Amino acid sequence: MPAMLTDVFRGHPIHLPHSHQPDFTSLRELPDSYSWTPKDDILFAAAPSPPTAVETIPLIDLDHPDAANQIGHACRTWGAFQIANHGVPLSLLQDVEFLTGSLFGLPVQRKLKAARSDTGVSGYGVARIASFFNKQMWSEGFTITGSPLNDFRKLWPQHHLNYCDIVEEYEERMKKLASKLMWLALNSLGVSEEDVEWASLNSADLSWAQAALQLNHYPVCPEPDRAMGLAAHTDSTLLTILYQNNTAGLQVFRDDLGWITVPPVPGSLVVNVGDLFHILSNGLFKSVLHRARVNQTRARLSVDFLWGPQSDIKISPVPKLVSPLESPLYRSVTWKKYLQTKATHFNKALSMIRNHREE
Ligand SMILES: O=C(O)CCC(=O)C(=O)O
Ligand SMILES: [Fe+2]
């Protein structure tokens, strides 16, 4: 049986000196441990986009006949896009948002009943990337891998079954959507099912993929300019599908434009290219650097569907996308191995598996 995502993470526990969440609502000033400077993250100070910048990631209508090409173009230029007409019912998005709000609205002591253990993956806690930074992030999270039943029972002794049903339905929908998006993007490069033997086009057979669901809460912050909701990172996934409530905060980085805010569009979903899709596309698709900022007036919620292949599948650049005169840009890697590299080298992980060509 292929190793599941849970095992991958379990082998790489996060050791954090601060495993306890503060009660954000009681803080009237930003504590020093939450106050970021460019020293804490060089990207913190990277050029903010000018207020006049109108450019942002495209919003693509999946019913549009040219959707595949638009997605391909967005993956190459931004590494991210929003989608409308994605087929996920609005009522389900609302249910997931309600669940997320209800979870983070619980008293801290209750949330800590489902705290992620030192070596665990699922449950309540700080962002996984927290261990790479000296400063703390203005957010709290809840990770779901496999069934949330045990954790949900601790959080909501009465209503956990309803909430489990919502998660299950959401994950089913997301799995199908993610596979559809991957194939649309690959088709735009002329890549078809014969070129990627481990991934089936058939939406009824998604057993080659696995996923985790990450719920995030960014509370109202007394000094948002000095705080960081979630520091800059790329996702280790093939694709990530993000639902955000109606509050801006997600930003994506473009070398030529700086940090660009992704405006919430009601009912739409944000899609990010992750590191594995970048590898698979031989570097053609950009694994987008992104982060979450916070604000002083509205709490922000996001639901992140992190999607990739089963842990033992070897991902390497599709041969068709590699020029016959050059070696592939990356060596082959399983998701399991890649997460191990990421757990040690964080944002430098991709360069660790890159084939360095003679210039
Ligand atoms: O909350 C967001 O907008 C971003 C979340 C994210 O990037 C993550 O969970 O990996
Ligand atoms: Fe992310």
Side-chain angles (χ1 to χ4, degrees):
M1 202 172 100
M4 297 303 287
L5 205 54
T6 326
D7 303 323
V8 175
F9 285 136
R10 193 170 286 129
H12 294 271
I14 322 169
H15 295 294
L16 290 174
H18 42 75
S19 56
H20 286 266
Q21 289 286 356
D23 185 357
F24 289 104
T25 52
S26 67
L27 297 172
R28 296 277 167 265
E29 276 178 21
L30 195 68
D32 199 43
S33 55
Y34 286 85
S35 177
W36 290 60
T37 69
K39 273 206 316 290
D40 301 308
D41 176 10
I42 39 165
L43 287 161
F44 185 66
S49 62
T52 50
V54 283
E55 247 185 307
T56 187
I57 62 172
L59 174 61
I60 298 171
D61 176 352
L62 285 195
D63 283 344
H64 194 283
D66 196 36
N69 284 325
Q70 292 176 14
I71 288 175
H73 185 257
C75 289
R76 291 194 304 276
T77 51
W78 287 94
F81 50 96
Q82 305 212 59
I83 46 173
N85 284 323
H86 41 64
V88 182
L90 189 60
S91 57
L92 184 57
L93 298 178
Q94 286 164 344
D95 284 350
V96 168
E97 182 177 332
F98 181 81
L99 176 158
T100 307
S102 153
L103 191 158
F104 292 115
L106 291 169
V108 184
Q109 287 316 318
R110 178 86 71 87
K111 289 185 274 195
L112 287 172
K113 283 190 197 299
R116 201 191 283 138
S117 70
D118 258 9
T119 53
V121 185
S122 299
Y124 176 71
V126 297
R128 282 194 67 80
I129 61 173
S131 55
F132 294 100
F133 298 94
N134 294 323
K135 292 295 164 87
Q136 301 194 49
M137 295 177 226
W138 196 261
S139 59
E140 52 183 343
F142 191 92
T143 313
I144 300 170
T145 57
S147 167
L149 183 65
N150 283 339
D151 280 337
F152 278 14
R153 196 185 280 130
K154 295 178 207 152
L155 296 173
W156 300 284
Q158 315 288 328
H159 308 291
H160 56 276
L161 289 178
N162 292 351
Y163 285 139
C164 287
D165 289 347
I166 294 172
V167 166
E168 197 177 318
E169 192 182 342
Y170 191 72
E171 289 187 334
E172 278 308 305
R173 294 277 188 167
M174 286 291 134
K175 276 182 201 158
K176 294 207 168 92
L177 180 59
S179 152
K180 173 175 169 175
L181 292 168
M182 181 181 92
W183 282 110
L184 284 171
L186 287 175
N187 289 341
S188 79
L189 298 177
V191 172
S192 54
E193 207 178 0
E194 311 86 72
D195 302 311
V196 188
E197 78 287 353
W198 47 264
S200 159
L201 247 178
N202 179 355
S203 67
D205 174 22
L206 297 175
S207 56
W208 55 271
Q210 62 177 325
L213 203 60
Q214 173 68 33
L215 315 180
N216 300 306
H217 174 221
Y218 306 91
V220 166
C221 178
E223 291 176 79
D225 292 347
R226 294 200 288 132
M228 181 54 74
L230 188 63
H233 65 281
T234 60
D235 292 342
S236 308
T237 53
L238 280 169
L239 287 175
T240 302
I241 304 178
L242 179 119
Y243 173 73
Q244 54 179 338
N245 72 345
N246 204 6
T247 304
L250 175 65
Q251 296 184 325
V252 296
F253 191 73
R254 273 261 302 244
D255 292 337
D256 52 342
L257 300 171
W259 287 108
I260 301 280
T261 297
V262 176
V265 178
S268 76
L269 296 163
V270 182
V271 183
N272 286 346
V273 170
D275 296 343
L276 290 188
F277 210 24
H278 173 80
I279 295 169
L280 186 68
S281 68
N282 198 37
L284 286 173
F285 293 157
K286 250 179 97 166
S287 176
V288 66
L289 197 58
H290 56 284
R291 68 180 185 185
R293 298 307 305 261
V294 293
N295 75 83
Q296 212 161 0
T297 50
R298 290 166 60 114
R300 178 163 180 270
L301 299 171
S302 71
V303 178
D304 223 15
F305 178 77
L306 302 156
W307 183 78
Q310 288 292 352
S311 311
D312 56 350
I313 292 176
K314 285 201 170 125
I315 303 297
S316 49
V318 175
K320 209 182 222 175
L321 302 177
V322 180
S323 141
L325 301 174
E326 284 176 335
S327 50
L329 208 49
Y330 293 98
R331 297 188 289 280
S332 100
V333 68
T334 61
W335 199 8
K336 180 174 179 161
K337 182 84 187 82
Y338 188 69
L339 284 168
Q340 290 166 358
T341 309
K342 191 101 173 191
T344 324
H345 301 283
F346 189 43
N347 281 344
K348 298 198 176 64
L350 265 182
S351 66
M352 308 291 296
I353 54 159
R354 200 175 160 118
N355 281 323
H356 291 282
R357 295 173 179 159
E358 305 280 319
E359 294 299 333

PDB file of all heavy atoms in Angstrom, residues 193-222:
ATOM      1  N   GLU A 193      -2.676  11.659 -22.072  1.00  0.00           N
ATOM      2  CA  GLU A 193      -2.631  10.595 -21.064  1.00  0.00           C
ATOM      3  C   GLU A 193      -1.444   9.641 -21.274  1.00  0.00           C
ATOM      4  O   GLU A 193      -0.857   9.159 -20.308  1.00  0.00           O
ATOM      5  CB  GLU A 193      -3.945   9.831 -21.046  1.00  0.00           C
ATOM      6  CG  GLU A 193      -4.240   9.217 -19.705  1.00  0.00           C
ATOM      7  CD  GLU A 193      -5.575   8.495 -19.669  1.00  0.00           C
ATOM      8  OE1 GLU A 193      -6.285   8.459 -20.698  1.00  0.00           O
ATOM      9  OE2 GLU A 193      -5.916   7.952 -18.596  1.00  0.00           O
ATOM     10  N   GLU A 194      -1.082   9.388 -22.537  1.00  0.00           N
ATOM     11  CA  GLU A 194       0.047   8.452 -22.788  1.00  0.00           C
ATOM     12  C   GLU A 194       1.369   9.017 -22.262  1.00  0.00           C
ATOM     13  O   GLU A 194       2.310   8.272 -22.013  1.00  0.00           O
ATOM     14  CB  GLU A 194       0.283   8.178 -24.284  1.00  0.00           C
ATOM     15  CG  GLU A 194      -0.897   7.803 -25.124  1.00  0.00           C
ATOM     16  CD  GLU A 194      -1.638   9.027 -25.650  1.00  0.00           C
ATOM     17  OE1 GLU A 194      -1.098   9.696 -26.539  1.00  0.00           O
ATOM     18  OE2 GLU A 194      -2.751   9.312 -25.157  1.00  0.00           O
ATOM     19  N   ASP A 195       1.437  10.339 -22.110  1.00  0.00           N
ATOM     20  CA  ASP A 195       2.695  10.958 -21.682  1.00  0.00           C
ATOM     21  C   ASP A 195       2.895  10.924 -20.164  1.00  0.00           C
ATOM     22  O   ASP A 195       3.984  11.194 -19.679  1.00  0.00           O
ATOM     23  CB  ASP A 195       2.756  12.419 -22.149  1.00  0.00           C
ATOM     24  CG  ASP A 195       2.616  12.537 -23.658  1.00  0.00           C
ATOM     25  OD1 ASP A 195       3.326  11.796 -24.360  1.00  0.00           O
ATOM     26  OD2 ASP A 195       1.782  13.330 -24.120  1.00  0.00           O
ATOM     27  N   VAL A 196       1.816  10.689 -19.444  1.00  0.00           N
ATOM     28  CA  VAL A 196       1.895  10.681 -17.967  1.00  0.00           C
ATOM     29  C   VAL A 196       1.243   9.389 -17.495  1.00  0.00           C
ATOM     30  O   VAL A 196       0.066   9.360 -17.168  1.00  0.00           O
ATOM     31  CB  VAL A 196       1.156  11.907 -17.363  1.00  0.00           C
ATOM     32  CG1 VAL A 196       1.394  12.010 -15.871  1.00  0.00           C
ATOM     33  CG2 VAL A 196       1.601  13.198 -18.041  1.00  0.00           C
ATOM     34  N   GLU A 197       2.029   8.318 -17.474  1.00  0.00           N
ATOM     35  CA  GLU A 197       1.392   7.001 -17.304  1.00  0.00           C
ATOM     36  C   GLU A 197       0.796   6.784 -15.910  1.00  0.00           C
ATOM     37  O   GLU A 197      -0.114   5.988 -15.747  1.00  0.00           O
ATOM     38  CB  GLU A 197       2.334   5.860 -17.725  1.00  0.00           C
ATOM     39  CG  GLU A 197       3.410   5.458 -16.755  1.00  0.00           C
ATOM     40  CD  GLU A 197       4.554   6.467 -16.642  1.00  0.00           C
ATOM     41  OE1 GLU A 197       4.604   7.457 -17.415  1.00  0.00           O
ATOM     42  OE2 GLU A 197       5.391   6.285 -15.760  1.00  0.00           O
ATOM     43  N   TRP A 198       1.246   7.520 -14.894  1.00  0.00           N
ATOM     44  CA  TRP A 198       0.738   7.298 -13.541  1.00  0.00           C
ATOM     45  C   TRP A 198      -0.579   7.995 -13.260  1.00  0.00           C
ATOM     46  O   TRP A 198      -1.242   7.722 -12.267  1.00  0.00           O
ATOM     47  CB  TRP A 198       1.773   7.707 -12.495  1.00  0.00           C
ATOM     48  CG  TRP A 198       2.406   9.044 -12.751  1.00  0.00           C
ATOM     49  CD1 TRP A 198       3.588   9.266 -13.388  1.00  0.00           C
ATOM     50  CD2 TRP A 198       1.901  10.340 -12.386  1.00  0.00           C
ATOM     51  NE1 TRP A 198       3.847  10.612 -13.452  1.00  0.00           N
ATOM     52  CE2 TRP A 198       2.833  11.292 -12.831  1.00  0.00           C
ATOM     53  CE3 TRP A 198       0.750  10.784 -11.714  1.00  0.00           C
ATOM     54  CZ2 TRP A 198       2.664  12.667 -12.647  1.00  0.00           C
ATOM     55  CZ3 TRP A 198       0.574  12.150 -11.528  1.00  0.00           C
ATOM     56  CH2 TRP A 198       1.521  13.079 -11.997  1.00  0.00           C
ATOM     57  N   ALA A 199      -0.968   8.941 -14.116  1.00  0.00           N
ATOM     58  CA  ALA A 199      -2.188   9.710 -13.828  1.00  0.00           C
ATOM     59  C   ALA A 199      -3.273   9.373 -14.833  1.00  0.00           C
ATOM     60  O   ALA A 199      -3.057   9.467 -16.032  1.00  0.00           O
ATOM     61  CB  ALA A 199      -1.883  11.197 -13.883  1.00  0.00           C
ATOM     62  N   SER A 200      -4.420   8.970 -14.341  1.00  0.00           N
ATOM     63  CA  SER A 200      -5.509   8.649 -15.235  1.00  0.00           C
ATOM     64  C   SER A 200      -6.335   9.904 -15.515  1.00  0.00           C
ATOM     65  O   SER A 200      -6.513  10.765 -14.661  1.00  0.00           O
ATOM     66  CB  SER A 200      -6.370   7.584 -14.572  1.00  0.00           C
ATOM     67  OG  SER A 200      -7.636   7.577 -15.144  1.00  0.00           O
ATOM     68  N   LEU A 201      -6.839   9.956 -16.750  1.00  0.00           N
ATOM     69  CA  LEU A 201      -7.734  11.057 -17.127  1.00  0.00           C
ATOM     70  C   LEU A 201      -9.129  10.819 -16.578  1.00  0.00           C
ATOM     71  O   LEU A 201      -9.926  11.733 -16.455  1.00  0.00           O
ATOM     72  CB  LEU A 201      -7.839  11.068 -18.649  1.00  0.00           C
ATOM     73  CG  LEU A 201      -7.264  12.209 -19.447  1.00  0.00           C
ATOM     74  CD1 LEU A 201      -7.471  11.948 -20.919  1.00  0.00           C
ATOM     75  CD2 LEU A 201      -7.906  13.519 -19.059  1.00  0.00           C
ATOM     76  N   ASN A 202      -9.378   9.554 -16.286  1.00  0.00           N
ATOM     77  CA  ASN A 202     -10.721   9.134 -15.911  1.00  0.00           C
ATOM     78  C   ASN A 202     -11.074   9.636 -14.503  1.00  0.00           C
ATOM     79  O   ASN A 202     -10.454   9.237 -13.524  1.00  0.00           O
ATOM     80  CB  ASN A 202     -10.740   7.597 -15.963  1.00  0.00           C
ATOM     81  CG  ASN A 202     -12.079   7.046 -15.576  1.00  0.00           C
ATOM     82  OD1 ASN A 202     -12.981   7.786 -15.187  1.00  0.00           O
ATOM     83  ND2 ASN A 202     -12.200   5.734 -15.689  1.00  0.00           N
ATOM     84  N   SER A 203     -12.109  10.471 -14.435  1.00  0.00           N
ATOM     85  CA  SER A 203     -12.427  11.076 -13.138  1.00  0.00           C
ATOM     86  C   SER A 203     -12.986  10.039 -12.160  1.00  0.00           C
ATOM     87  O   SER A 203     -13.107  10.297 -10.968  1.00  0.00           O
ATOM     88  CB  SER A 203     -13.392  12.240 -13.308  1.00  0.00           C
ATOM     89  OG  SER A 203     -14.623  11.740 -13.750  1.00  0.00           O
ATOM     90  N   ALA A 204     -13.322   8.844 -12.667  1.00  0.00           N
ATOM     91  CA  ALA A 204     -13.819   7.815 -11.753  1.00  0.00           C
ATOM     92  C   ALA A 204     -12.651   7.073 -11.098  1.00  0.00           C
ATOM     93  O   ALA A 204     -12.831   6.310 -10.160  1.00  0.00           O
ATOM     94  CB  ALA A 204     -14.707   6.836 -12.510  1.00  0.00           C
ATOM     95  N   ASP A 205     -11.442   7.265 -11.621  1.00  0.00           N
ATOM     96  CA  ASP A 205     -10.281   6.612 -10.999  1.00  0.00           C
ATOM     97  C   ASP A 205      -9.258   7.656 -10.568  1.00  0.00           C
ATOM     98  O   ASP A 205      -8.373   8.040 -11.325  1.00  0.00           O
ATOM     99  CB  ASP A 205      -9.641   5.613 -11.971  1.00  0.00           C
ATOM    100  CG  ASP A 205      -8.348   5.039 -11.384  1.00  0.00           C
ATOM    101  OD1 ASP A 205      -8.192   5.084 -10.132  1.00  0.00           O
ATOM    102  OD2 ASP A 205      -7.490   4.584 -12.156  1.00  0.00           O
ATOM    103  N   LEU A 206      -9.408   8.095  -9.337  1.00  0.00           N
ATOM    104  CA  LEU A 206      -8.484   9.110  -8.823  1.00  0.00           C
ATOM    105  C   LEU A 206      -7.621   8.520  -7.715  1.00  0.00           C
ATOM    106  O   LEU A 206      -7.084   9.241  -6.878  1.00  0.00           O
ATOM    107  CB  LEU A 206      -9.266  10.329  -8.319  1.00  0.00           C
ATOM    108  CG  LEU A 206     -10.055  11.063  -9.409  1.00  0.00           C
ATOM    109  CD1 LEU A 206     -10.897  12.165  -8.828  1.00  0.00           C
ATOM    110  CD2 LEU A 206      -9.107  11.632 -10.457  1.00  0.00           C
ATOM    111  N   SER A 207      -7.463   7.194  -7.743  1.00  0.00           N
ATOM    112  CA  SER A 207      -6.737   6.537  -6.654  1.00  0.00           C
ATOM    113  C   SER A 207      -5.236   6.866  -6.686  1.00  0.00           C
ATOM    114  O   SER A 207      -4.526   6.618  -5.725  1.00  0.00           O
ATOM    115  CB  SER A 207      -6.940   5.026  -6.726  1.00  0.00           C
ATOM    116  OG  SER A 207      -6.541   4.587  -7.995  1.00  0.00           O
ATOM    117  N   TRP A 208      -4.743   7.422  -7.788  1.00  0.00           N
ATOM    118  CA  TRP A 208      -3.326   7.784  -7.885  1.00  0.00           C
ATOM    119  C   TRP A 208      -3.024   9.098  -7.159  1.00  0.00           C
ATOM    120  O   TRP A 208      -1.861   9.463  -6.998  1.00  0.00           O
ATOM    121  CB  TRP A 208      -2.902   7.898  -9.350  1.00  0.00           C
ATOM    122  CG  TRP A 208      -3.757   8.865 -10.134  1.00  0.00           C
ATOM    123  CD1 TRP A 208      -4.912   8.580 -10.798  1.00  0.00           C
ATOM    124  CD2 TRP A 208      -3.546  10.270 -10.278  1.00  0.00           C
ATOM    125  NE1 TRP A 208      -5.433   9.722 -11.362  1.00  0.00           N
ATOM    126  CE2 TRP A 208      -4.611  10.770 -11.055  1.00  0.00           C
ATOM    127  CE3 TRP A 208      -2.562  11.158  -9.843  1.00  0.00           C
ATOM    128  CZ2 TRP A 208      -4.719  12.114 -11.392  1.00  0.00           C
ATOM    129  CZ3 TRP A 208      -2.675  12.501 -10.181  1.00  0.00           C
ATOM    130  CH2 TRP A 208      -3.741  12.963 -10.954  1.00  0.00           C
ATOM    131  N   ALA A 209      -4.097   9.782  -6.727  1.00  0.00           N
ATOM    132  CA  ALA A 209      -3.888  11.090  -6.084  1.00  0.00           C
ATOM    133  C   ALA A 209      -4.229  11.025  -4.598  1.00  0.00           C
ATOM    134  O   ALA A 209      -4.900  10.103  -4.139  1.00  0.00           O
ATOM    135  CB  ALA A 209      -4.748  12.131  -6.768  1.00  0.00           C
ATOM    136  N   GLN A 210      -3.733  11.979  -3.856  1.00  0.00           N
ATOM    137  CA  GLN A 210      -4.118  12.115  -2.442  1.00  0.00           C
ATOM    138  C   GLN A 210      -4.136  13.600  -2.091  1.00  0.00           C
ATOM    139  O   GLN A 210      -3.608  14.433  -2.833  1.00  0.00           O
ATOM    140  CB  GLN A 210      -3.160  11.349  -1.542  1.00  0.00           C
ATOM    141  CG  GLN A 210      -1.734  11.845  -1.602  1.00  0.00           C
ATOM    142  CD  GLN A 210      -0.827  11.113  -0.631  1.00  0.00           C
ATOM    143  OE1 GLN A 210      -1.254  10.744   0.452  1.00  0.00           O
ATOM    144  NE2 GLN A 210       0.424  10.918  -1.009  1.00  0.00           N
ATOM    145  N   ALA A 211      -4.737  13.901  -0.946  1.00  0.00           N
ATOM    146  CA  ALA A 211      -4.932  15.321  -0.631  1.00  0.00           C
ATOM    147  C   ALA A 211      -5.001  15.564   0.860  1.00  0.00           C
ATOM    148  O   ALA A 211      -5.196  14.642   1.654  1.00  0.00           O
ATOM    149  CB  ALA A 211      -6.230  15.787  -1.279  1.00  0.00           C
ATOM    150  N   ALA A 212      -4.814  16.811   1.219  1.00  0.00           N
ATOM    151  CA  ALA A 212      -5.042  17.252   2.598  1.00  0.00           C
ATOM    152  C   ALA A 212      -5.852  18.543   2.519  1.00  0.00           C
ATOM    153  O   ALA A 212      -5.822  19.245   1.503  1.00  0.00           O
ATOM    154  CB  ALA A 212      -3.719  17.505   3.303  1.00  0.00           C
ATOM    155  N   LEU A 213      -6.581  18.813   3.571  1.00  0.00           N
ATOM    156  CA  LEU A 213      -7.360  20.053   3.620  1.00  0.00           C
ATOM    157  C   LEU A 213      -6.810  20.909   4.758  1.00  0.00           C
ATOM    158  O   LEU A 213      -6.650  20.416   5.876  1.00  0.00           O
ATOM    159  CB  LEU A 213      -8.829  19.692   3.880  1.00  0.00           C
ATOM    160  CG  LEU A 213      -9.883  20.695   3.455  1.00  0.00           C
ATOM    161  CD1 LEU A 213      -9.822  20.971   1.954  1.00  0.00           C
ATOM    162  CD2 LEU A 213     -11.277  20.157   3.802  1.00  0.00           C
ATOM    163  N   GLN A 214      -6.486  22.137   4.433  1.00  0.00           N
ATOM    164  CA  GLN A 214      -5.916  23.040   5.427  1.00  0.00           C
ATOM    165  C   GLN A 214      -6.872  24.218   5.622  1.00  0.00           C
ATOM    166  O   GLN A 214      -7.137  24.973   4.683  1.00  0.00           O
ATOM    167  CB  GLN A 214      -4.548  23.537   4.906  1.00  0.00           C
ATOM    168  CG  GLN A 214      -3.891  24.619   5.732  1.00  0.00           C
ATOM    169  CD  GLN A 214      -3.438  24.106   7.097  1.00  0.00           C
ATOM    170  OE1 GLN A 214      -3.055  22.949   7.233  1.00  0.00           O
ATOM    171  NE2 GLN A 214      -3.512  24.964   8.101  1.00  0.00           N
ATOM    172  N   LEU A 215      -7.405  24.345   6.841  1.00  0.00           N
ATOM    173  CA  LEU A 215      -8.285  25.479   7.141  1.00  0.00           C
ATOM    174  C   LEU A 215      -7.446  26.547   7.826  1.00  0.00           C
ATOM    175  O   LEU A 215      -6.650  26.235   8.718  1.00  0.00           O
ATOM    176  CB  LEU A 215      -9.420  25.048   8.083  1.00  0.00           C
ATOM    177  CG  LEU A 215     -10.139  23.728   7.757  1.00  0.00           C
ATOM    178  CD1 LEU A 215     -11.234  23.456   8.806  1.00  0.00           C
ATOM    179  CD2 LEU A 215     -10.753  23.771   6.372  1.00  0.00           C
ATOM    180  N   ASN A 216      -7.600  27.792   7.400  1.00  0.00           N
ATOM    181  CA  ASN A 216      -6.809  28.877   7.982  1.00  0.00           C
ATOM    182  C   ASN A 216      -7.708  29.994   8.496  1.00  0.00           C
ATOM    183  O   ASN A 216      -8.720  30.320   7.869  1.00  0.00           O
ATOM    184  CB  ASN A 216      -5.869  29.488   6.934  1.00  0.00           C
ATOM    185  CG  ASN A 216      -4.890  28.479   6.368  1.00  0.00           C
ATOM    186  OD1 ASN A 216      -4.178  27.812   7.113  1.00  0.00           O
ATOM    187  ND2 ASN A 216      -4.860  28.334   5.054  1.00  0.00           N
ATOM    188  N   HIS A 217      -7.297  30.591   9.596  1.00  0.00           N
ATOM    189  CA  HIS A 217      -8.006  31.756  10.152  1.00  0.00           C
ATOM    190  C   HIS A 217      -6.994  32.851  10.436  1.00  0.00           C
ATOM    191  O   HIS A 217      -5.978  32.609  11.098  1.00  0.00           O
ATOM    192  CB  HIS A 217      -8.708  31.341  11.456  1.00  0.00           C
ATOM    193  CG  HIS A 217      -9.344  32.484  12.180  1.00  0.00           C
ATOM    194  ND1 HIS A 217      -9.280  32.612  13.551  1.00  0.00           N
ATOM    195  CD2 HIS A 217     -10.058  33.544  11.731  1.00  0.00           C
ATOM    196  CE1 HIS A 217      -9.935  33.709  13.917  1.00  0.00           C
ATOM    197  NE2 HIS A 217     -10.411  34.299  12.833  1.00  0.00           N
ATOM    198  N   TYR A 218      -7.270  34.022   9.894  1.00  0.00           N
ATOM    199  CA  TYR A 218      -6.415  35.189  10.124  1.00  0.00           C
ATOM    200  C   TYR A 218      -7.258  36.200  10.902  1.00  0.00           C
ATOM    201  O   TYR A 218      -8.069  36.915  10.302  1.00  0.00           O
ATOM    202  CB  TYR A 218      -5.956  35.786   8.786  1.00  0.00           C
ATOM    203  CG  TYR A 218      -5.291  34.758   7.891  1.00  0.00           C
ATOM    204  CD1 TYR A 218      -6.034  34.016   6.963  1.00  0.00           C
ATOM    205  CD2 TYR A 218      -3.932  34.515   7.985  1.00  0.00           C
ATOM    206  CE1 TYR A 218      -5.427  33.062   6.159  1.00  0.00           C
ATOM    207  CE2 TYR A 218      -3.318  33.557   7.182  1.00  0.00           C
ATOM    208  CZ  TYR A 218      -4.079  32.833   6.277  1.00  0.00           C
ATOM    209  OH  TYR A 218      -3.472  31.888   5.484  1.00  0.00           O
ATOM    210  N   PRO A 219      -7.074  36.248  12.226  1.00  0.00           N
ATOM    211  CA  PRO A 219      -7.921  37.140  13.018  1.00  0.00           C
ATOM    212  C   PRO A 219      -7.637  38.609  12.694  1.00  0.00           C
ATOM    213  O   PRO A 219      -6.595  38.939  12.113  1.00  0.00           O
ATOM    214  CB  PRO A 219      -7.499  36.829  14.460  1.00  0.00           C
ATOM    215  CG  PRO A 219      -6.736  35.554  14.404  1.00  0.00           C
ATOM    216  CD  PRO A 219      -6.128  35.490  13.044  1.00  0.00           C
ATOM    217  N   VAL A 220      -8.560  39.468  13.077  1.00  0.00           N
ATOM    218  CA  VAL A 220      -8.353  40.911  12.979  1.00  0.00           C
ATOM    219  C   VAL A 220      -7.070  41.234  13.739  1.00  0.00           C
ATOM    220  O   VAL A 220      -6.802  40.653  14.796  1.00  0.00           O
ATOM    221  CB  VAL A 220      -9.573  41.631  13.622  1.00  0.00           C
ATOM    222  CG1 VAL A 220      -9.287  43.092  13.852  1.00  0.00           C
ATOM    223  CG2 VAL A 220     -10.803  41.434  12.738  1.00  0.00           C
ATOM    224  N   CYS A 221      -6.267  42.140  13.185  1.00  0.00           N
ATOM    225  CA  CYS A 221      -4.941  42.382  13.761  1.00  0.00           C
ATOM    226  C   CYS A 221      -4.760  43.865  14.103  1.00  0.00           C
ATOM    227  O   CYS A 221      -5.059  44.723  13.278  1.00  0.00           O
ATOM    228  CB  CYS A 221      -3.895  41.942  12.739  1.00  0.00           C
ATOM    229  SG  CYS A 221      -2.213  42.218  13.284  1.00  0.00           S
ATOM    230  N   PRO A 222      -4.256  44.178  15.308  1.00  0.00           N
ATOM    231  CA  PRO A 222      -4.128  45.593  15.688  1.00  0.00           C
ATOM    232  C   PRO A 222      -3.120  46.374  14.833  1.00  0.00           C
ATOM    233  O   PRO A 222      -3.287  47.567  14.637  1.00  0.00           O
ATOM    234  CB  PRO A 222      -3.681  45.537  17.163  1.00  0.00           C
ATOM    235  CG  PRO A 222      -3.176  44.149  17.383  1.00  0.00           C
ATOM    236  CD  PRO A 222      -3.879  43.265  16.395  1.00  0.00           C
TER     237      PRO A 222
END
